[in-house]
Amino acid sequence: MATTATPSRAAKVPALPPLEVELPHWPALNRARRRLAAVRSATGRLATLAGACAGACGLFTGALAGAGLLADAALTLGGLATLRLWKPEGQQRAVATALYLTPGAGLAALLIGQQLTPVMHPVATTVEAAALMAWTVGVWVVRPAEVGRRMLTPPAPAADLVPAGPLVSDHPAAQWWAAKAAVKGGVAPNTVLDAIEPTGPRSMRAVVRAAVAGEPVPDISIRRLSALMDIPEDEIAIDSVPGRGAGVRLLKVGNPEETADLATRWAKHVAPKAMPGTVLTEVQIGTPGGEVRTIAATNTTTQNQEDA
């Protein structure tokens, strides 16, 4: 009996990882975004005042109700069109849209309600005046349209991360310092990093100097610098530079590793405690198996006395 082979299921294609794209830093674009945000903010304030005036006029006359409704619809729908342009779908977009429609819809309901009640009726006028006051204060303080726009479009940076002074070094640490620490409002404004010298795989020292000649280096908070660099506070030290004024400071980051030089270790650990006044001059290390390892040290104190 012939059998029919069933086609095997297609192998499941693994999902591609999300693509992370870092946008370049364009100071001109950020400035344009900030100006556009300021214009939108001023337009929203003017629209709120215009709506409050239209609502106040509606308490006494209905002659401007039609023009007010048309202007309200035009501003609300026009702003909504720019808000939804090139925006992704989803719950966030729906919530932002609802927030953006809230001021215009509230004003439209207020204007229509004024036309459905007697114009000068005391009770109706009092309720309408209270509703107009609540709408004006709520929109002016809460600004739901601005909140909805920021949900979809993050605000531009408050300031451009530009160096506060000339870059004296092409070292990445100097460039990072100029872009993060030396900016206005940063941990060390108007400073530059110079004479960068690594003291170990994870340690370094450098000279921090004022960008303007004759000015002192500002007080640098080790706590803020620790948070900015994500390094423990006890591994950061800022001292004066020997023989220099307040225009420069010595920055030490990390714990330098112990040097492998035997002469330095001798002078630092052995000579002060066990053999004061001695200097390591020769080290002979043989192969294992019988040869004696020789360490020669001279007593500098005795030699100085003989020379005298």
Side-chain angles (χ1 to χ4, degrees), residues 72-126:
D72 179 35
L75 287 174
T76 302
L77 295 178
L80 184 62
T82 61
L83 178 70
R84 297 175 65 88
L85 187 63
W86 301 107
K87 301 302 177 185
E89 299 287 349
Q91 183 178 3
Q92 188 177 15
R93 175 177 174 176
V95 174
T97 301
L99 288 172
Y100 202 88
L101 288 175
T102 298
L107 179 61
L110 184 61
L111 294 177
I112 293 174
Q114 290 175 348
Q115 303 307 308
L116 299 179
T117 57
V119 178
M120 298 301 294
H121 193 279
V123 176
T125 303
T126 303

Side-chain angles (χ1 to χ4, degrees), residues 227-271:
L228 181 63
M229 303 178 69
D230 194 16
I231 293 177
E233 296 180 55
D234 55 359
E235 295 186 10
I236 300 176
I238 300 176
D239 304 318
S240 59
V241 178
R244 300 293 301 276
V248 291
R249 284 291 183 265
L250 181 61
L251 172 65
K252 298 178 182 178
V253 179
N255 295 322
E257 289 193 352
E258 191 72 29
T259 178
D261 183 31
L262 294 179
T264 304
R265 290 188 179 184
W266 181 281
K268 186 175 181 180
H269 297 289
V270 179

Side-chain angles (χ1 to χ4, degrees), residues 8-215:
S8 60
R9 287 186 180 178
K12 187 177 180 181
V13 179
L16 295 176
L19 181 62
E20 297 182 359
V21 179
E22 184 177 354
L23 296 178
H25 176 67
W26 294 331
L29 179 60
N30 290 336
R31 287 193 294 269
R33 289 180 58 195
R34 288 196 296 269
R35 292 183 184 129
L36 180 60
V39 171
R40 282 201 305 258
S41 178
T43 303
R45 295 296 192 188
L46 291 176
T48 303
L49 294 176
C53 293
C57 292
L59 295 175
F60 305 99
T61 178
L64 301 177
L69 285 172
L70 289 177
D72 179 35
L75 287 174
T76 302
L77 295 178
L80 184 62
T82 61
L83 178 70
R84 297 175 65 88
L85 187 63
W86 301 107
K87 301 302 177 185
E89 299 287 349
Q91 183 178 3
Q92 188 177 15
R93 175 177 174 176
V95 174
T97 301
L99 288 172
Y100 202 88
L101 288 175
T102 298
L107 179 61
L110 184 61
L111 294 177
I112 293 174
Q114 290 175 348
Q115 303 307 308
L116 299 179
T117 57
V119 178
M120 298 301 294
H121 193 279
V123 176
T125 303
T126 303
V127 174
E128 292 166 359
L132 177 61
M133 180 64 67
W135 179 87
T136 304
V137 174
V139 174
W140 188 272
V141 175
V142 179
R143 308 196 70 183
E146 182 71 14
V147 174
R149 182 174 291 277
R150 291 196 175 189
M151 286 182 62
L152 299 180
T153 306
D160 296 327
L161 296 179
V162 296
L167 282 174
V168 298
S169 174
D170 293 333
H171 197 282
Q175 297 178 357
W176 179 91
W177 184 273
K180 299 290 185 180
V183 294
K184 183 178 180 181
V187 65
N190 298 321
T191 60
V192 292
L193 204 63
D194 196 4
I196 303 167
E197 179 185 355
T199 57
R202 302 187 61 181
S203 61
M204 58 161 285
R205 64 182 178 184
V207 174
V208 181
R209 66 176 179 84
V212 180
E215 292 293 329

